Amino acid sequence: MAIVINGKAIAQSIRDDLTVKVTKLKEKGITPTLAVILVGEDPASLSYITGKEKALAQTGMESRERRLPADSSEAQLLQLIAGFNTDPSIHGILVQLPLPAHINTERVICAIDPAKDVDGFHPMSVGNAVLDRAGFIPCTPQGIVVLLQESQIPIAGADLVIVGRSNLVGKPLANLLSRRSLNATVTLCHTGTRDLAAHTRRADILIAAIGKPRFITADMVRSGAVVVDVGVNRVPDIHAKNGYRLCGDVDYEPVGEKASHITPVPGGVGPLTITMLLKNVIDAAAALAET
Ligand code: NAP
């Protein structure tokens, strides 16, 4: 059976260090503060922002939440962002995605001041990341790298296969892991990939970011591979309180029999994603302290 990578424990030890940084910033009169914007009442989005706000509070930071009704106009949202952009007490701005269909997500992301773009989705942040320049790196890819490093998984030279090429996870992760400083040999797979299993089976490190429950089966995994499951899927469960339970993109038990290391869902990548958000907000506040 594979070693189960305990994302919760790794995240907690990083958060302890971040709490010290927050205390130091507070001594300088700066309380790192994140503006959190939610449009509509999507239950998954609501639970995500609650988790993020709780983590901010536990680390000594503040959040300023603004909820807009689902039928709010794009102009209203842009006006709210513009206010946060010029508010010196706000260090980071997070617009919870997905947005309602009538709002243009790209225009909204572009409206955030890149200095406060703690999600790292602004084209300026994306460009800086590709060029390996200083800037915000999206939280999930950054969290996955930390998870591998803290678990002493060798990344340099590894044959690393990512399934999923979204702008939020797969693409920035492929870019990050191909940096000279990390030196993985990255293959990025998607729905256009011919013979997906041929790629996944040769991976030293396999990362699934697909959004399909239990998609990666044991026959797609090499014996001894490290398997990182990014997927968070809600599957019906009559025994669960809410009528559903969370499930990853990996067929956990059979793959766990074959892999050397595996991340669980929940408790794997998720806690690191939130922790990297905390780190980005602290970095944004610290940058302000230096100006
Ligand atoms: P997404 O935007 O829906 O992208 C899914 C990717 O998977 C796409 O690139 C798609 O390929 C690929 N894909 C889908 N079916 C495939 C197939 N049959 N064969 C090969 N590739 C396939 O999803 P996302 O935003 O990246 O999120 C992925 C999962 O991670 C979701 O479950 C999400 O909830 C979860 N997530 C978790 C965290 C966390 O902190 N734990 C953070 C973010 C996301 P095409 O591009 O060809 O369509």
Side-chain angles (χ1 to χ4, degrees), residues 14-135:
I14 298 169
R15 286 183 200 187
D16 292 344
D17 295 342
L18 294 179
T19 307
V20 176
K21 285 192 178 167
V22 172
T23 307
K24 286 189 180 148
L25 280 169
K26 281 179 159 175
E27 283 163 9
K28 292 183 185 166
I30 297 167
T31 302
T33 303
L34 177 68
V36 179
I37 304 172
L38 175 66
V39 186
E41 286 170 5
D42 173 55
S45 294
L46 258 171
S47 106
Y48 285 138
I49 65 160
T50 308
K52 290 168 187 175
E53 288 167 352
K54 201 171 134 200
L56 284 158
Q58 282 168 348
T59 323
M61 296 192 255
E62 280 180 13
S63 52
R64 209 168 307 161
E65 185 190 298
R66 290 287 181 277
R67 286 193 198 180
L68 295 180
D71 60 357
S72 302
S73 68
E74 188 176 307
Q76 281 173 299
L77 177 55
L78 293 177
Q79 198 180 6
L80 186 58
I81 293 171
F84 284 137
N85 278 343
T86 53
D87 182 342
S89 69
I90 295 292
H91 306 104
I93 301 170
L94 181 146
V95 179
Q96 185 63 47
L97 302 179
L99 290 167
H102 67 278
I103 295 179
N104 182 317
T105 304
E106 211 165 306
R107 264 200 298 267
V108 169
I109 289 172
C110 288
I112 296 171
D113 178 349
K116 300 188 180 188
D117 175 39
V118 288
D119 258 339
F121 298 156
H122 190 287
M124 184 95 89
S125 305
V126 177
N128 281 332
V130 171
L131 297 170
D132 206 347
R133 289 188 191 153

Side-chain angles (χ1 to χ4, degrees), residues 140 163-166 169 190-191 209-212 215 230-233 270 273:
T140 302
V163 188
R165 61 173 159 191
S166 71
V169 186
H190 41 74
T191 53
I210 308 160
K212 292 190 172 161
F215 182 87
V230 186
V232 180
N233 307 291
T273 295

